[in-house]
Amino acid sequence: MIDRHSRFLPLAAALVATSAALAHAADPQLGKSPDKDVIAAMTKEEKAALVTGTGMRMPGQPPAQQPPAQQGPAVGETQRGVPGAAGTTYAIPRLGIPAVVVADGPAGLRIQPKRGSDSTKTYYCTAFPIETLLASSWDVDLVERVGRAMGNEVREYGVDVLLGPALNTHRNPLGGRNFEYYSEDPVVSGKLAAAMIRGVQSQGVGTSAKHFVANDHEWNRNTIDVKASQRALREIYLRGFEILVSEGNPWTIMSSYNKLNGTYTSESSELLQGVLRKDWGYDGLVMTDWFGGRDALAQMNAGNELLMPGNPNQRKAITDALDSGQLKEEVLDRNVAKVLELVRRSPSFLGTPHSDAPDLKAHAQVAREAAAEGMVLLKNAGVLPLASPAKLALFGNSSFNMITGGTGSGDVNEAYTVSLVEGLKAAGHASDAALADAYTRYIEEILKKQPAPTIFAPRAPIPELAVAKEEIERLAREADLAVVTLGRNSGEFRDRKREDDFELSAAENTLLRDVASAFHAQKKKLVVVLNIGGVIETTSWRDVPDAILLAWQPGQEAGHAIADVLTGRVAVSGKLATSFPVKWEDVPSSANFPGVVLEGPDPNATGFRAGQARAAEIKYEDDIWVGYRHYATKGVKTAYPFGYGLSYTTFQYSDLKLGAKEFQKQLTATVKVTNTGKSAGREVVQLYLSAPGKAMPKPALELRAFAKTKLLKPGESQALSFTLTPRDLVSFDGASSSWVAEAGTYAVKVGASSEDIRQNASFTKAQDEKVATVSTSVGP
Ligand code: BGC
């Protein structure tokens, strides 16, 4: 296994020589001749090259050497020249096959913003809000719009496939990459990921939905074996992917790093052939995650058609296996055919021109609107929206140094970040200059001392500035209102921790309490803004401030978008797509998080494998009882439940009507929502079902559909309608390998959150029904 520090190696000389010898005018050309003729004209080295990427350039590595075009497969990265892209496939010029360029994802395109010595031309991309924020908007059209803007940057910068969206599950708040994922619920994740895919792909470029599947935490991610029941996999972890395949149809899917019930996902034909292709009818391409899995032969056989970023050992393993008969030529050809299908639809093949100049201004506007739509008002004791104009005292490092998104491959190279102080100023609110100055200087000093961040070693958190009590008292006298912003960052390679991360640090607690007591003594209020990428503990301190706005990591327009919501320019309408527990121990997966080491690290391991256990295991004993499925069923109190979010107005739900009393082929439900308050607003309406639960235990309620109203004026109503299909009634029955809808009475619960059901109805189902059967078992 190659490690991250030897990611780029030139293609074997033999390949070039063989290819060159074979080149002649009559070679079939991709797109002009049938794919099968193109494949038939390939050498085995060319085939092996096509199913493995060209390697990955790493800091300190020499640039790839480009063989002369007529000599065969060319080194994609240099040929296509998109520095900072995550990888490319091989070009085979003699057969008319160009390289395909892939780049991260998922909160915006990730490429290098500057190239070579030319500082006049830049290649910045828009940092859109993180997926967790987008999920809190519950707005399918909005997410599709974000996808269109993101996809436009992919196309205009000459990239073929965006490595996103990501939709692993918010199984535990400490998952380091939760910010890259949508929700704890597969319907929200699947529907929004599908919208993102439709948006991106409308621009003529591809997506890679990742990480398939159960890479829900970072700890020992390359060796961990996830032990999960088939029911949990089908209902929770696979379900979002199933929805996005049918509603989004991504060009590609990325297999995950982990093992699943004993087999690497990239080496599992049960998963990649059985579940994905046979059961779901997926006909796109599967690529590995970068350096994922161990055994190229097993990956080829499993139908993991493209190994990324690709290395010579894999190519040798493939050609050796062909020679020895362990790999059948038709299996390799099948995989090559899939890569060719991808190439044929790519802008690189179609010769789509790209400007290197997307409309970043227009996309910034999309990012700003999306960010404001996904913020969640957790608490508001009569303070928001802000009376204008106010003089503010802004506390907290993050007010001045906002966290736009998480770290690792999901980090975007944006041109700028609007801080909260700038956003509020643009909205007409002054903030105390001396305090702002103290924060700015403090942050600059700390940043100066820190080593330059890398993808593997992001910036360390900046300890909260200790503001003297006398200074806070001065501010409480002079300012109208205090805002304390608390920030959190995390990302690839490591999970979060409880101390000073899930929980507030001592310095944050002190700041919060000192500011609250000084401002409250002056009869003035305090607003907390949470600039975070994942769930934190709130119960121990939420009584202290007067309002709490969960701004998530809102992308580059952070300060403007937060100001939009604080001032009421945008009617706050986000709701949680992930529960906030009272305490970490309440999270159902906490009993076995992050797992156990079965065999310690290899002392000789280098690169990204250094320090990783040779074998580790995590048991998903929480089974299907993830998030609200657990809290609602077991009656465990949450700090803020799934689906929760306040508004500046109020809504009344009425007239829930079902299309029939008995479920036949489908059933519609309609409900009326009326704005009963004094300002305009939008409401996220959630439809949950409670199934009879005779044959197997069922959650007290499960989200089956959702919708968001338009902006309703005071007094205005909107009727929303939902269509339930048999798939909305089912649970997975392992014994019969099928999705079963039970006979009995189903309760329909339409609510403003999982704990705030406003309208009830019920329907019956006369008979048990096997709605679908599956061909493969992926778990016990
Ligand atoms: C990440 C993927 C990413 C890939 C390419 C991997 O480390 O897990 O999400 O797409 O790198 O950068």
Side-chain angles (χ1 to χ4, degrees), residues 4 104 177 210-211 221 254 257 289-290 409 492:
R4 275 193 180 242
D104 285 299
R177 292 182 87 172
K210 66 190 187 182
H211 312 86
R221 67 180 184 175
M254 187 190 292
Y257 281 130
D289 197 349
W290 269 228
S409 62
E492 218 185 326

Side-chain angles (χ1 to χ4, degrees), residues 4 7 56 84-87 102-106 110 162-164 166 168 177 180-181 208 210-211 215 218 221-222 254-257 287-291 308-309 408-410 455-456 492-493 608:
R4 275 193 180 242
R7 272 180 162 193
M56 190 172 188
V102 304
D104 285 299
R110 175 178 171 80
L162 178 77
L163 302 175
N168 296 101
R177 292 182 87 172
E180 290 188 68
Y181 310 143
S208 195
K210 66 190 187 182
H211 312 86
N215 180 186
E218 290 301 279
R221 67 180 184 175
N222 291 89
M254 187 190 292
S255 52
S256 59
Y257 281 130
M287 68 174 80
T288 58
D289 197 349
W290 269 228
F291 309 100
M308 290 303 281
S409 62
I455 187 167
F456 302 113
E492 218 185 326
F493 310 113
F608 75 104

Side-chain angles (χ1 to χ4, degrees), residues 57-80:
R57 199 189 300 200
M58 296 293 291
Q61 295 282 324
Q65 290 305 304
Q66 172 79 38
Q70 67 279 18
Q71 283 188 334
V75 178
E77 190 170 19
T78 46
Q79 184 200 37
R80 296 280 293 109

Side-chain angles (χ1 to χ4, degrees), residues 51 59 101 144 225 235 260-261 353 462 468 470 574 583 588 592 600 613 675 688 715 744:
V51 295
V101 181
E144 196 166 327
D225 186 4
E235 289 186 18
L260 182 63
N261 292 317
I462 302 173
E470 304 71 52
K583 53 186 192 306
N592 46 27
N675 182 349
Y688 298 90

Side-chain angles (χ1 to χ4, degrees), residues 665-698:
K665 287 204 164 66
Q666 62 175 44
L667 188 131
T668 49
T670 51
V671 69
K672 192 167 138 194
V673 178
T674 307
N675 182 349
T676 49
K678 292 196 175 62
S679 61
R682 300 183 70 193
E683 173 72 337
V684 172
V685 178
Q686 302 146 47
L687 187 150
Y688 298 90
L689 282 189
S690 300
K694 287 178 301 190
M696 55 180 127
K698 303 254 181 162

Side-chain angles (χ1 to χ4, degrees), residues 391-392 400 430-440 471 474-475:
K391 182 177 179 201
L392 307 174
F400 305 87
S431 28
D432 185 87
L435 184 62
D437 195 46
Y439 269 106
T440 313
E471 175 68 348
R474 172 189 74 81
L475 290 156

Side-chain angles (χ1 to χ4, degrees), residues 575-597:
K575 293 198 181 184
L576 296 177
T578 283
S579 312
F580 272 54
V582 168
K583 53 186 192 306
W584 187 75
E585 290 81 353
D586 289 345
V587 180
S589 56
S590 296
N592 46 27
F593 181 90
V596 290
V597 169

